[in-house]
Amino acid sequence: MKFTPLACATILACAVAPVLNAGVALPSATMSSLTVPMGQDSQIVKIKNDKEKGPKKAKKEKHKKDKHGKKEKKHKKKHEKQAKKLEKKLEKHDKVKVKVKRSREDRSRISSEILEVRAPEGRDMSVLLGAVPLALLGSQIAFADVPEDKRLTYRNCPPGLAKMDPPCVPPGLAKKGVTYEEWVAYDDEQLDAIYLDQRTEFLDRDIVIGDERGPDRDVVVEEDANRYVVLDDDTLLLSSEQIASLYDLRPAPAGKRYALIDGQPVLLTQEDYTSLLRINELARVENLPEGVRIAPTAALTQNELRQTYKLPQLETGNNYAVVNGELVTLQDSAFETLQLIRIARAIF
């Protein structure tokens, strides 16, 4: 029997239709040579699109994963950098802090020796305080017009700040642009507010005075704010009672105690005293020649301290101070708060 082309096509179409309906896949060559029946084109197109999207989707997922990996790597690198920075800071802190632990016997012996040292003439605060009560410099008083031997009687111009530029102004405030004229115009309330604001820096962390864990009273200075900082009450040489005796003062009221900063006695609350202990823990004790002791009642400028005790010139940002009869070196921020304690809590 002879078949026309039209008849062949009809027979072939009839043969293929059941197969397609059964979901059996045909070779691509066959598929391409067929006219797709109505209703089946969407299924075929969907299959083809899935094949096309597969590699793209995988590539997109890989890109997303790579991007996430890079982000994690960057975060890790940043964390490591911060950790190294903190480690460096701690190392630097350790180098600055070279406190020597003293036994109670050593402390008692050294403090007794210090009490016998007399201040240079004209620089003895125990004499000056008996003769002239402390006063505040006023904006109407020019620093250059104040005789050097009288500057010690102005409590808002401590000897440690007298020769600074601008004179009398704590270094941190000077960096913020506070001038001499502005500083000496502050009244008692303003000076107290400035001090209390800076004091919070030393009271933010959890602090324990003394160490109840054992007789060794180990001192822990910790940068991590989540850990306790143990401050040893025996790190200061002179006691409140010894300072009261030096200046012929009445015993400190209950809940308060005396301390001594650059020859000036101050009366401190527990919070004030805690901040002083914190500052003292951050200080570096200067090594003096064997047998040489600092005059506890002396009020000396930075230069006078260097000349009197043959001390080296300090790097910028560091300052000498005498705390409870002991010579120390402090960085600007701690030194500034120390001077503010001297100003705001002065006995006069």
Side-chain angles (χ1 to χ4, degrees):
M1 182 184 290
K2 291 184 180 180
F3 296 98
T4 64
L6 180 59
C8 289
T10 302
I11 293 167
L12 185 58
C14 291
V16 170
V19 176
L20 288 174
N21 289 333
V24 179
L26 294 176
S28 58
T30 306
M31 291 278 289
S32 62
S33 64
L34 294 178
T35 301
V36 180
M38 294 299 292
Q40 301 298 327
D41 57 339
S42 60
Q43 185 179 354
I44 301 297
V45 170
K46 184 178 178 183
I47 293 169
K48 288 176 74 176
N49 284 346
D50 280 349
K51 286 181 179 178
E52 288 174 2
K53 285 185 178 179
K56 288 184 180 178
K57 190 176 181 183
K59 189 175 181 182
K60 190 176 180 181
E61 289 293 331
K62 186 175 182 298
H63 178 70
K64 190 176 179 182
K65 190 176 180 181
D66 289 345
K67 190 176 179 182
H68 181 69
K70 283 180 182 177
K71 192 175 180 181
E72 277 191 348
K73 192 175 180 181
K74 188 178 179 182
H75 179 72
K76 187 179 178 183
K77 193 173 181 182
K78 185 180 178 182
H79 181 73
E80 287 175 353
K81 191 176 179 182
Q82 288 175 340
K84 283 182 181 177
K85 191 176 179 182
L86 178 60
E87 190 179 342
K88 237 179 205 181
K89 187 179 178 183
L90 288 171
E91 283 176 4
K92 186 179 178 183
H93 183 270
D94 288 340
K95 286 177 185 176
V96 172
K97 180 184 174 297
V98 288
K99 283 261 184 290
V100 178
K101 286 188 68 176
R102 284 184 289 255
S103 66
R104 290 179 184 275
E105 292 74 21
D106 282 344
R107 178 175 175 268
S108 177
R109 176 181 56 79
I110 295 170
S111 63
S112 296
E113 292 173 3
I114 287 173
L115 291 172
E116 299 300 320
V117 182
R118 300 295 94 193
E121 189 177 349
R123 293 290 183 271
D124 192 336
M125 289 299 286
S126 65
V127 174
L128 291 170
L129 287 173
V132 183
L134 291 175
L136 284 175
L137 277 169
S139 56
Q140 73 281 3
I141 302 173
F143 180 77
D145 295 338
V146 181
E148 193 166 344
D149 60 343
K150 292 287 179 70
R151 286 176 192 160
L152 295 175
T153 63
Y154 294 101
R155 65 183 173 90
N156 56 343
C157 193
L161 299 175
K163 297 296 179 71
M164 295 284 189
D165 184 20
C168 309
V169 184
L173 294 175
K175 287 175 184 175
K176 292 177 182 177
V178 176
T179 64
Y180 165 79
E181 290 74 21
E182 290 171 329
W183 173 252
V184 297
Y186 292 153
D187 59 22
D188 287 338
E189 286 187 10
Q190 288 170 305
L191 292 170
D192 191 60
I194 292 169
Y195 159 59
L196 292 177
D197 181 57
Q198 295 213 17
R199 189 185 71 177
T200 57
E201 179 186 342
F202 298 91
L203 298 177
D204 281 345
R205 301 183 184 93
D206 292 320
I207 296 173
V208 177
I209 304 299
D211 187 356
E212 298 175 359
R213 293 174 299 180
D216 292 334
R217 301 174 64 84
D218 293 330
V219 177
V220 179
V221 177
E222 180 59 60
E223 292 292 328
D224 185 354
N226 295 320
R227 293 183 62 182
Y228 280 96
V229 177
V230 180
L231 297 176
D232 194 333
D233 200 13
D234 286 347
T235 56
L236 298 179
L237 278 174
L238 298 180
S239 68
S240 178
E241 292 74 19
Q242 287 172 317
I243 293 167
S245 177
L246 266 177
Y247 290 86
D248 196 23
L249 300 169
R250 292 180 179 180
K256 294 187 177 183
R257 68 182 81 198
Y258 294 116
L260 195 54
I261 301 169
D262 293 328
Q264 172 63 49
V266 291
L267 184 60
L268 307 178
T269 64
Q270 185 58 57
E271 287 187 321
D272 294 329
Y273 188 67
T274 298
S275 66
L276 180 63
L277 286 177
R278 161 71 66 172
I279 290 167
N280 191 56
E281 286 299 330
L282 295 175
R284 181 178 69 223
V285 176
E286 288 299 322
N287 295 320
L288 293 170
E290 185 65 31
V292 175
R293 303 296 182 203
I294 294 285
T297 62
L300 304 174
T301 65
Q302 296 287 304
N303 285 337
E304 286 170 342
L305 279 169
R306 286 199 306 107
Q307 291 166 6
T308 303
Y309 298 101
K310 296 180 173 53
L311 303 171
Q313 178 74 47
L314 293 173
E315 293 179 4
T316 303
N318 291 277
N319 314 269
Y320 288 117
V322 181
V323 180
N324 277 38
E326 186 161 44
L327 180 67
V328 297
T329 301
L330 287 164
Q331 294 181 350
D332 275 352
S333 59
F335 177 74
E336 177 167 321
T337 307
L338 180 72
Q339 297 305 314
L340 288 171
I341 293 174
R342 189 185 193 273
I343 292 166
R345 299 292 181 259
I347 302 293
F348 59 96

